[in-house]
């Protein structure tokens, strides 16, 4: 029985949800990963892959793995499910709520769809290159939608976020220091300690980003 296999033409045809399924495998078995890559990224049942010629499995999987060696630029806007989503226009103006939620979601591929739902939200108005995005409510509001986001968007956002790491961390910490000072006056001492802990965790978050980007390149 002949089966037509549609191979993705690039990372723009591989979704975040698919990539999350793949990286969750946590296996060192190269042939197993080759088979799973075809199963997940080409939507081919494993039973069919098991009956494919060995050289065909390695050819297709090597082609797919090669996509992850490419460089990634930030995509300021992308259409997902017929809706335009825009990247946060100015990360230095990120809100405290956005930062706290991003801090708990971006260090792990398992929750990356939540992180992308923070960084990208529906565009509600646009004037040429300038646009305004929907106010932030929750990382869960568009998290399922973000599982359909192309990996070009995801990697581009992570690279951009990491490249701004030093500058952004300074801006964030200055903002959080102000929040801590206000909180220490208006709330209990324990609340102030909680915000201070959030500030301290930023460095760990940025380091986790570097680790994530390092693990993004997959080779057979």
């Amino acid at each position: 029985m002949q089966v037509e296999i549609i191979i993705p033409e690039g990372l723009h045809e591989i979704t975040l949800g698919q990539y999350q399924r793949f990286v969750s495998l946590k296996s060192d078995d190269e042939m197993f990963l080759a088979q799973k890559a075809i199963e997940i990224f080409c939507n081919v049942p494993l039973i069919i892959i098991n009956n494919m010629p060995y050289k065909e499995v390695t050819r297709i999987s090597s082609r797919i793995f090669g996509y992850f060696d490419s460089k990634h630029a930030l995509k300021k806007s992308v259409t997902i499910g017929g809706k335009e989503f825009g990247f946060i226009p100015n990360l230095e103006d990120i809100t405290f709520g956005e930062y706290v939620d991003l801090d708990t979601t971006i260090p792990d591929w398992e929750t990356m769809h939540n992180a992308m739902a923070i960084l990208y939200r529906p565009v509600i108005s646009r004037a040429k290159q300038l646009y305004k995005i929907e106010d932030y409510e929750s990382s869960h509001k568009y998290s399922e939608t973000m599982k359909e986001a192309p990996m070009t968007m995801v990697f581009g956002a992570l690279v951009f976020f990491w490249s701004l790491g030093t500058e952004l961390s300074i801006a964030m910490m200055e903002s959080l220091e102000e929040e801590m000072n206000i909180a220490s006056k208006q709330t209990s001492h324990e609340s102030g300690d909680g915000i201070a802990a959030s500030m301290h965790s930023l460095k760990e978050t940025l380091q986790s980003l570097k680790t994530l980007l390092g693990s993004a390149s997959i080779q057979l």
Side-chain angles (χ1 to χ4, degrees):
M1 179 180 65
Q2 291 187 338
V3 178
E4 181 181 8
I5 298 178
I6 301 177
I7 306 171
E9 292 297 322
L11 284 184
H12 63 285
E13 293 186 358
I14 291 177
T15 69
L16 173 57
Q18 289 175 316
Y19 188 72
Q20 287 175 311
R21 286 173 57 197
F22 185 79
V23 296
S24 69
L25 297 173
K26 302 184 186 302
S27 173
D28 294 325
D29 187 328
E30 294 184 349
M31 284 314 302
F32 171 72
L33 292 177
Q35 290 176 307
K36 295 299 288 185
I38 298 174
E39 177 190 31
I40 294 171
F41 300 130
C42 302
N43 296 309
V44 178
L46 199 58
I47 189 172
I48 292 178
I49 300 171
N50 287 332
N51 290 308
M52 289 171 56
Y54 170 83
K55 64 179 181 180
E56 190 68 2
V57 172
T58 56
R59 180 188 71 83
I60 295 175
S61 60
S62 294
R63 177 176 169 181
I64 294 172
F65 290 145
Y67 297 151
F68 293 91
D69 289 330
S70 57
K71 295 182 179 180
H72 317 288
L74 175 68
K75 286 185 172 294
K76 291 188 176 180
S77 67
V78 63
T79 299
I80 306 173
K83 184 187 293 288
E84 183 184 17
F85 286 80
F87 189 78
I88 293 178
N90 189 350
L91 273 177
E92 291 189 355
D93 292 334
I94 192 171
T95 67
F96 184 69
E98 289 169 329
Y99 162 69
V100 171
D101 287 349
L102 194 60
D103 180 53
T104 59
T105 57
I106 207 168
D108 194 332
W109 281 112
E110 187 176 343
T111 54
M112 191 59 70
H113 56 295
N114 295 93
M116 289 301 114
I118 300 169
L119 293 173
Y120 285 88
R121 299 198 294 279
V123 174
I124 58 176
S125 65
R126 174 183 284 279
K128 296 183 178 180
Q129 299 302 315
L130 300 177
Y131 59 85
K132 182 178 180 180
I133 60 176
E134 186 178 295
D135 288 340
Y136 182 64
E137 295 179 24
S138 165
S139 65
H140 299 289
K141 186 171 183 179
Y142 296 106
S143 59
E144 289 302 309
T145 301
M146 285 299 151
K147 288 183 179 180
E148 298 302 315
M151 286 306 298
T152 46
M153 183 199 93
V154 177
F155 284 148
L158 290 177
V159 169
F160 180 77
F161 194 86
W162 171 246
S163 69
L164 289 182
T166 302
E167 293 83 357
L168 183 61
S169 64
I170 293 174
M172 279 186 172
M173 286 185 179
E174 288 178 349
S175 175
L176 290 174
E177 283 175 349
E178 293 179 9
E179 293 281 352
M180 186 177 67
N181 290 334
I182 294 173
S184 63
K185 296 177 181 179
Q186 297 179 345
T187 64
S188 66
H189 177 70
E190 288 75 14
S191 296
D193 286 345
I195 297 176
S198 293
M199 292 174 56
H200 179 73
S201 70
L202 176 59
K203 292 181 180 179
E204 296 178 358
T205 299
L206 294 174
Q207 183 58 45
S208 296
L209 263 178
K210 185 176 182 179
T211 302
L212 275 173
L213 293 173
S215 66
S217 180
I218 310 173
Q219 296 183 356
L220 182 62

